[in-house]
Amino acid sequence: MLTIYNNQHALHHGKVEMFRGELVPCFEVPARADYVLQELKRRGLGAIEAPGAFDDAAITRVHAPRYVEFLRGAWAEWVALDPANAQRDALPSYWPIRGFRSDVLPASFAARMGLFSYDAGTPLTAGTWAAARSGAACAFTAARRLLQGERATFALTRPPGHHAGADFFGGYCFLNNAAIAAQTLRDAGVQRVAVLDIDYHHGNGTQAIFYERADVQFTSIHGDPHTEYPYYLGYADERGAGAGLGFNHNLPLARGSDFSAWRAALRAALQGVAAFRPGALVVSLGLDTFAGDPIAGFTLQSADYLQVGADLARAGLPTVFVFEGGYAVAEVGVNAVNVLEGFAQAAR
């Protein structure tokens, strides 16, 4: 298992987020990736490398150029408004919902923050762009190494990515690493790519990016959006549109679901993947399905993740894993590496 590690991830370190009506310390913290890295080294689970050469063209293959340009310069704009802003993160305050225009790019920084976001829980910091861009490079490199013959690769990066759409951030996500990996594989000639999201929270950004495409299948197992974030996408009747009709599959589960119910959904998801006959698989690896996660609601145990990895390996596909959620920080390293070890053992 080759790991591509984002050694710039800690540059993004939010101070506070809006959670259930109050500002609280961020759940998404650098220690998440640190614990995974420590566990990878402890078990000796393959080589760990830095991302290779990277061009932002790989980002704009899935993200709108004006959105990327905003992210690239957002922190400088924020500080230019008031030098004191250098000591506090930027959070959006306004959103152009139904009936508002989104085609015109406002001059106001606050208005553009709202235009390109959908929640107030995703702080933009001094190092957000550098960390997110390096994470995109990890995903790109992980996909390229798969093309060079690796059976499986792991993009160990944060901030996560699966909630980021073509032109919006939210859910702690700014650039969609899984989508960048999938598009990189497509651009290199892999005719069909499957993306399987096993984070507790629906990968709304990934779904939105590929919703009208038949060359990338998106499948997600997640908490029921009737009660769980991101609420407005992730229902079972979302099947794709246009050319993509039938290539989007959501498997929502009730809060409190145990491993037996979750694994049954995984079996169904993998049957759908097999029917699609992809040339490669991208897994959005969220570990917030763990019973101890503070902002989720499934009840998987650490040992269960070994079986998850083995089940994924039996798909028999070249696989890119991309690190997503998982906020029981002390356990996230063991849980993530259990998936990878289970995969590696079953793939032998």
Side-chain angles (χ1 to χ4, degrees), residues 186-198:
R186 281 290 296 116
D187 290 344
V190 180
Q191 291 189 345
R192 289 182 298 276
V193 177
V195 179
L196 176 57
D197 193 317
I198 59 173

Side-chain angles (χ1 to χ4, degrees), residues 180-230:
I180 289 167
Q183 186 62 52
T184 299
L185 293 166
R186 281 290 296 116
D187 290 344
V190 180
Q191 291 189 345
R192 289 182 298 276
V193 177
V195 179
L196 176 57
D197 193 317
I198 59 173
D199 192 279
Y200 179 79
H201 304 97
H202 177 252
N204 59 293
T206 315
Q207 173 173 302
I209 288 168
F210 296 120
Y211 202 63
E212 297 185 17
R213 288 174 55 172
D215 58 333
V216 179
Q217 179 198 64
F218 176 70
T219 306
S220 180
I221 307 167
H222 52 270
D224 189 336
H226 280 100
T227 59
E228 308 304 315
Y229 185 93

